[in-house]
Amino acid sequence: MKNSYKAHRDRRRALLASMREHSGGGLALIPTAPEVPRNRDSLFPYRPDSYSYYLSGFPEPEAVLALVADADGDREILFCREKNEEREIWDGFRYGPDAAREIFGFDEAHPLTELDAKLADLAADRPALFTPLGLFEPWDRRIIQLLNEVRARVRTGVSAPDEVVDVRGMLDAMRLVKDAQEASLMRRAGAISSSAHRRAMARTRPGWFEYQVEAELVHEFLQQGAQAVAYPSIVASGPNACVLHYRDNNREMSAGELLLIDAGCEYQGYASDITRTFPVSGRFEGRQKDVYELVLASQLACLDAVKPGAEFHDYHKAAERVLAQGYLDLGLLKGTLDEALESGSYKQFYMHRAGHWLGMDVHDAGLYQVKGASQKLAPGMVLTVEPGTYIRPADNVPEAFWNIGVRIEDDVLVTAGGHENLTAATPKTVADVEAACQR
């Protein structure tokens, strides 16, 4: 087994241990994502399912991972496509079972065509079946068919699993805490995305269309070895910056406007997620600077709250307090801070949470609350820190603030001593942003 896949085997063994702890043993069956047609005779670029990839590192479609937790010895099995010279001419390289077993460190690997014939034997006399439920409808039907097939053998002395467990609960808890290999990949993803944001700042100018800036981002992602965007890029100028999930990216930008970019690459299966806001003309004007510095102050307060033992919700509360006080100071709200927080009046300008888990998925696996209490931060967790302010035209808002949208987002790894900002190289202070925008 190549050393690069040792971490995947360690994860498989951790899942096997959890299976024994839960039910004394059993069978886990985890499929990868299917290929998806884009249009006639064309598929969307393939990406394996995150759960499957987390455990196997195997990148091909139509694969199924089987893990057997048994007192007589565990088994780690991969079912995958066979080598096929003709299809490889058309579609590219396939590992095939023999190479997959050796390279990815499985005990066994079999052609996918043998899956149905072997599944019933693998599931027989197992106390529990662990599989993702509701992830792929065809897979759910296959699991029901498997259980019925094993139950039909009852007269031969075989028993079917008494329990079917959604394996994603166990895997979500594992994925929430990143290992050293994952942290390294996320550092690289963050570095590539940071470079892309710096490129966008340096090249954006009045008269460009948002999609031209998007092209600069994608150029940097691919040029530095990222495989894809982690999510559709948001390149939102002027009033579009006040649309949280703006995706059209087709507006012509004008001097004096702000440009909000929320964009990150995916690198070897791991996402980055950065947001920066900067002036199209290179200099903040009027109330733009006031709002920007308020959001930056709130983001720095959030970062101070990210440390081991803190509750996940603590840094969101920090953002709310700083932003609400800022709105009062700017004359956007009336009353006291306590009144603004209690009434929620600040939500006119800040209506989302301050962040989310980050990993293989941009909104990654993991609970935010456990038994009604906030999840506690621990070393190895990665989260985004992204407060913002979005001021739409309204009767109660001075016109000088209209259409100012600002969000500042970094990717943060919780460490034993506090945290590591994985995207700190992206310009963020007013001085650094304006310097990065000089052409």
Side-chain angles (χ1 to χ4, degrees), residues 38 146 153 203 304 405:
R38 182 184 185 278
L146 168 63
R153 299 184 181 185
R203 296 180 68 84
D304 287 342

Side-chain angles (χ1 to χ4, degrees), residues 8 11 15 29-36 45-65 78 131-137 139 166-168 171-172 175 266 268-270 359-361 363-365:
H8 296 85
R11 294 168 199 159
L15 177 58
L29 294 174
I30 300 155
T32 194
E35 293 181 295
V36 179
Y46 183 71
R47 184 191 186 279
D49 175 70
S50 293
Y51 292 104
S52 171
Y53 194 73
Y54 177 76
L55 292 169
S56 69
F58 191 70
E60 295 181 8
E62 301 182 65
V64 176
L65 172 63
L78 181 71
T131 196
L133 299 172
L135 185 61
F136 307 119
E137 185 177 347
W139 180 254
D166 191 336
V167 73
R168 289 177 294 179
L171 291 174
D172 285 354
R175 286 175 56 185
E266 179 175 289
Q268 295 188 22
Y270 286 81
M360 300 188 80
D361 300 326
H363 285 249
D364 204 39

Side-chain angles (χ1 to χ4, degrees), residues 199-200 203-219 235 249-253:
R199 180 185 180 95
R203 296 180 68 84
T204 296
R205 64 205 65 191
W208 271 31
F209 285 84
E210 294 163 340
Y211 55 75
Q212 291 177 276
V213 182
E214 182 179 13
E216 298 293 336
L217 296 165
V218 174
H219 170 94
V235 183
N249 297 352
N250 59 8
R251 180 179 178 274
E252 184 177 2
M253 297 176 291

Side-chain angles (χ1 to χ4, degrees), residues 52-133:
S52 171
Y53 194 73
Y54 177 76
L55 292 169
S56 69
F58 191 70
E60 295 181 8
E62 301 182 65
V64 176
L65 172 63
L67 301 177
V68 180
D70 190 273
D72 294 332
D74 295 340
R75 296 166 65 190
E76 302 176 13
I77 308 166
L78 181 71
F79 293 89
C80 64
R81 301 180 304 185
E82 294 185 83
K83 296 289 288 182
N84 185 316
E85 183 176 347
E86 181 179 356
R87 291 315 314 165
E88 289 184 61
I89 290 172
W90 287 92
D91 301 325
F93 173 78
R94 295 183 179 188
Y95 283 98
D98 292 339
R101 181 184 63 252
E102 179 181 351
I103 293 171
F104 296 92
F106 287 94
D107 300 318
E108 307 170 35
H110 304 286
L112 188 67
T113 53
E114 297 181 10
L115 177 65
D116 287 335
K118 293 182 180 293
L119 275 186
D121 289 337
L122 288 172
D125 295 325
R126 305 294 174 196
L129 175 62
F130 301 82
T131 196
L133 299 172

Side-chain angles (χ1 to χ4, degrees), residues 178-197:
K178 274 60 179 176
D179 58 34
Q181 182 189 61
E182 292 178 292
S184 178
L185 292 173
M186 295 190 74
R187 269 188 210 97
R188 180 59 184 153
I192 294 172
S193 294
S194 178
S195 180
H197 279 262

Side-chain angles (χ1 to χ4, degrees), residues 246-366:
Y246 173 75
R247 295 277 165 75
D248 290 341
N249 297 352
N250 59 8
R251 180 179 178 274
E252 184 177 2
M253 297 176 291
S254 299
E257 295 179 336
L258 294 180
L259 177 62
L260 184 157
I261 297 177
D262 187 338
C265 72
E266 179 175 289
Y267 181 75
Q268 295 188 22
Y270 286 81
S272 57
D273 186 1
I274 301 175
T275 305
R276 288 295 188 268
T277 309
F278 59 92
V280 172
S281 302
R283 298 285 181 188
F284 290 97
E285 299 178 6
R287 287 298 196 173
Q288 294 173 353
K289 184 176 179 180
D290 296 331
V291 175
Y292 186 90
E293 289 188 326
L294 171 59
V295 175
L296 178 57
S298 73
Q299 208 238 9
L300 295 176
C302 287
L303 289 170
D304 287 342
V306 175
K307 54 193 172 185
E311 294 187 353
F312 174 84
H313 299 307
D314 284 351
Y315 77 103
H316 176 67
K317 294 175 183 177
E320 289 177 318
R321 293 191 67 84
V322 174
L323 290 172
Q325 183 61 60
Y327 301 151
L328 291 166
D329 295 341
L330 291 172
L332 294 170
L333 294 179
K334 299 184 185 301
T336 66
L337 175 59
D338 287 343
E339 288 171 345
L341 292 172
E342 185 176 352
S343 68
S345 60
Y346 68 91
K347 293 181 181 179
Q348 179 179 353
F349 311 114
Y350 175 55
M351 62 293 294
H352 60 78
R353 303 292 292 178
H356 52 79
W357 303 128
L358 184 69
M360 300 188 80
D361 300 326
V362 70
H363 285 249
D364 204 39

